[in-house]
């Protein structure tokens, strides 16, 4: 481990490394693609209890490279991009002032189930605003999550009006707080990650549709894999720093793959015929709206960039299309969410390829490519 990594490990909370997580390739791939292109729109992770959902998301946040932010800025404002700046930083930049810049770890903000709307969105001190004539704004969790990850565990138990607020902010990239005629607006660009257990209730279809991707995870059945997971966790809990040091080369390689993919993404091209066929699949599956088409296009391009290529292939589309469409299908309210077999069949028919029954291994191949 480098001296910088050693210092970081000693000063920050130790987090289980992302590259050491065994299995759950579908979830890992969806998270990585959203980090490469946050405009995919976030991930909804549904699965059994104790399958490593929270551990994986914290590990991802810890893996990500540091980002430049304006020092002491409550919104993690970007030092040069006005779309990612709070009003104060933007005004200072427009007036020609030099902004103090620091490197900061990407934030992962946990949204507790009992959070109030004021805690999420922020509050305006009306008394101070009236008496002193200033916009006294106390930032909320959406401000802290700007340019980071906002994680909502048990999102299916969250109040519907809070889910609406989160999804609106995630879609627009801005949060607006209005109280007594005073309005405050600030950037809220974050990767929204929700997790839940289907046994505890489903999300409304119109809310589920707003998540870019949907990953299903299940408890690992193979005894050998279960033993490997238990042993790795025990080793980490007993001696975290040596365990981190052992994983550091893979962590560094995956981090570099993410950076390379983010830089390569604007150069990725998808053939017009492939885009038409994606829309054919969405049309045949009777997917409402165009979000499915858009997200599948974005996710396929992100996967292509992740693997260091600039031309999207049919295989790239195959590996992401189920993640992007399975939660958008119309279904009987009494049925559980579609496992993806319907998406697979229509994909195979439309693209003229033979599709294997179980694609869990295919969905995971993108993850391994980045960690080589």
């Amino acid at each position: 481990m480098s001296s910088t990594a050693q210092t970081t490990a000693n000063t920050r909370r130790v987090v289980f490394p992302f590259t050491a997580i065994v299995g759950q390739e579908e979830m890992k791939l969806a998270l990585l693609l959203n980090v490469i292109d946050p405009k995919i729109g976030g991930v909804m992770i549904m699965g059994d209890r104790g399958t490593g959902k929270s551990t994986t998301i914290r590990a991802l946040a810890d893996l990500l490279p540091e980002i430049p932010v304006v020092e002491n800025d409550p919104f993690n404002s970007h030092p040069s991009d006005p779309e990612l700046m709070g009003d104060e930083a933007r005004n200072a930049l427009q007036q020609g002032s030099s902004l103090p810049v620091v490197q900061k770890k990407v934030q992962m903000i946990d949204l507790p189930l009992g959070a109030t709307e004021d805690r999420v969105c922020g509050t305006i001190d009306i008394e101070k605003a009236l008496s002193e004539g200033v916009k006294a704004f106390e930032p909320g969790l959406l401000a802290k999550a700007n340019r980071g990850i906002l994680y909502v565990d048990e999102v299916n138990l969250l109040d519907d009006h809070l889910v609406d607020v989160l999804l609106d902010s995630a879609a627009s990239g801005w949060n607006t707080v209005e109280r007594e005629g005073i309005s405050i607006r600030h950037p809220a660009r974050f990767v929204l990650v929700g997790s839940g257990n289907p046994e505890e209730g489903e999300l409304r279809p119109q809310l589920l549709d707003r998540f870019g991707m949907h990953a299903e995870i299940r408890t690992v059945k193979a005894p050998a894999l279960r033993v490997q997971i238990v042993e790795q966790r025990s080793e980490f809990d007993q001696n975290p720093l040596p365990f981190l040091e052992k994983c550091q080369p893979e962590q560094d390689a995956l981090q570099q793959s993410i950076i390379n993919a983010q830089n390569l993404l604007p150069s990725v091209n998808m053939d017009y015929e492939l885009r038409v066929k994606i829309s054919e699949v969405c049309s045949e599956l009777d997917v409402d709206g165009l979000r499915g088409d858009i997200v599948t296009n974005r996710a396929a391009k992100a996967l292509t960039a992740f693997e260091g290529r600039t031309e999207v292939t049919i295989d790239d589309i195959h590996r992401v299309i189920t993640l992007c469409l399975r939660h958008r299908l119309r279904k009987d309210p009494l049925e559980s969410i579609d496992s993806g077999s319907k998406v697979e069949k229509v994909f195979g028919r439309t693209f003229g390829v033979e599709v294997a029954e179980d694609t869990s291994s295919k969905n995971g191949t993108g993850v391994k490519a980045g960690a080589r």
Side-chain angles (χ1 to χ4, degrees), residues 132-144:
E132 299 179 24
V134 294
K135 290 183 177 179
F137 180 61
E138 182 66 35
L141 295 176
L142 292 181
K144 291 181 181 178

Side-chain angles (χ1 to χ4, degrees), residues 361-372:
S361 59
K362 284 183 85 76
N363 282 341
T365 52
V367 175
K368 291 167 190 167
R372 59 183 179 273

Side-chain angles (χ1 to χ4, degrees), residues 217-237:
I217 56 175
R218 297 179 181 84
T219 304
V220 175
K221 299 295 183 189
L225 268 184
R226 291 173 78 115
V227 170
Q228 185 185 347
I229 293 166
V230 172
E231 286 178 348
Q232 280 200 334
R233 186 71 217 192
S234 298
E235 186 184 344
F236 172 76
D237 289 339

Side-chain angles (χ1 to χ4, degrees), residues 96-228:
S97 304
S98 63
L99 299 171
V101 179
V102 294
Q103 293 293 120
K104 187 176 179 182
K105 259 308 217 183
V106 170
Q107 294 267 71
M108 193 205 85
I109 304 299
D110 267 306
L111 192 146
L113 279 180
T116 62
E117 189 170 343
D118 282 349
R119 178 78 184 100
V120 174
C121 298
T123 57
I124 298 172
D125 188 335
I126 301 298
E127 189 176 334
K128 188 174 181 181
L130 294 175
S131 60
E132 299 179 24
V134 294
K135 290 183 177 179
F137 180 61
E138 182 66 35
L141 295 176
L142 292 181
K144 291 181 181 178
N146 186 39
R147 302 178 66 205
I149 297 171
L150 184 64
Y151 175 47
V152 190
D153 195 9
E154 308 294 355
V155 68
N156 42 348
L157 302 181
L158 198 66
D159 286 346
D160 282 347
H161 77 281
L162 276 185
V163 177
D164 286 334
V165 167
L166 292 180
L167 292 171
D168 285 343
S169 295
S172 68
W174 294 90
N175 174 44
T176 304
V177 183
E178 296 189 353
R179 299 285 187 277
E180 308 296 333
I182 298 171
S183 181
I184 299 278
R185 182 172 177 259
H186 69 77
R189 304 284 177 94
F190 50 81
V191 176
L192 180 62
V193 181
S195 70
N197 184 341
E199 294 173 3
E200 293 166 353
E202 292 282 1
L203 273 177
R204 302 200 312 268
Q206 61 268 40
L207 298 183
L208 199 53
D209 176 65
R210 297 283 286 277
F211 283 91
M213 303 178 87
H214 182 288
E216 285 184 353
I217 56 175
R218 297 179 181 84
T219 304
V220 175
K221 299 295 183 189
L225 268 184
R226 291 173 78 115
V227 170
Q228 185 185 347

Side-chain angles (χ1 to χ4, degrees), residues 140 162 177 198 303 339 353 360:
L162 276 185
V177 183
L303 177 57
S339 64
V353 295
S360 57

